[in-house]
Amino acid sequence: MDDTLRRRLRVEQARALLDNADPYQAVMLACDLLVAGVDGEAVVALASESARTLPVHDANRRLAAVIAELGLPAPELPTAVALIAADTAERILDRSITAEVGTHGLYVVGYEGSQLGDLLPAVTALASRLEDDLHGRADDELRTQLAALARTVLYRTSAEDPA
């Protein structure tokens, strides 16, 4: 398994640990694992699911089976936070998620033990502006501020190398 697949797997593992795996991402990851020759029973089972209709609970369960099958240890909490924060920041910058989703996704920095906890006030300020002032619809200024915060998250997590 290459480093990109391993990182994606660790990100979804971290999401499942702290909240819920993304069913779409979990299924796509399993498909990519199959293409890479990782073809265990749990990987095949997850890859055969519908990325659009797989319930979150089932995605978590199937992903846990893949992780067990591959023998991956659970990440420490600070590592899990850093993995999710970095992935969210990358998605903000490449615009694969909306600014609204990304803003709320960065609340992960506030988990106890997070080495990014000092960024929580900035996330909270953006989320408050988004919800209170902009009624849930990001404007260009918020997108610019969010992109700057995302770059900060990436800088900080790359220095820590959470993968």
Side-chain angles (χ1 to χ4, degrees):
M1 175 178 355
D2 70 18
D3 288 343
T4 301
L5 281 175
R6 181 174 303 281
R7 184 174 187 280
R8 286 175 54 202
L9 182 58
R10 301 242 319 136
V11 167
E12 287 312 310
Q13 179 186 28
R15 283 191 202 290
L17 177 69
L18 297 181
D19 187 27
N20 285 306
D22 178 325
Y24 178 84
Q25 294 297 326
V27 172
M28 292 297 102
L29 174 61
C31 291
D32 290 344
L33 286 168
L34 282 176
V35 169
V38 180
D39 58 357
E41 202 173 296
V43 173
V44 171
L46 180 54
S48 68
E49 292 288 347
S50 168
R52 288 183 297 183
T53 62
L54 179 65
V56 171
H57 171 75
D58 291 340
N60 287 334
R61 186 175 48 80
R62 292 212 181 267
L63 183 63
V66 168
I67 290 164
E69 187 172 81
L70 297 175
L72 292 177
E76 303 264 336
L77 183 61
T79 300
V81 168
L83 285 165
I84 295 168
D87 183 67
T88 302
E90 288 170 358
R91 290 178 189 208
I92 289 166
L93 293 172
D94 71 14
R95 296 183 180 200
S96 61
I97 59 174
T98 65
E100 295 83 0
V101 170
T103 300
H104 293 291
L106 285 179
Y107 267 119
V108 70
V109 302
Y111 271 85
E112 187 176 332
S114 167
Q115 296 173 352
L116 301 169
D118 61 308
L119 298 177
L120 185 59
V123 173
T124 302
L126 284 176
S128 293
R129 182 165 177 270
L130 173 65
E131 297 305 328
D132 298 339
D133 300 341
L134 300 173
H135 308 290
R137 301 184 87 176
D139 63 6
D140 289 340
E141 182 182 343
L142 186 126
R143 284 186 194 89
T144 299
Q145 293 170 339
L146 181 61
L149 181 58
R151 284 190 291 278
T152 299
V153 167
L154 286 177
Y155 174 77
R156 296 261 308 268
T157 56
S158 67
E160 297 169 14
D161 192 26

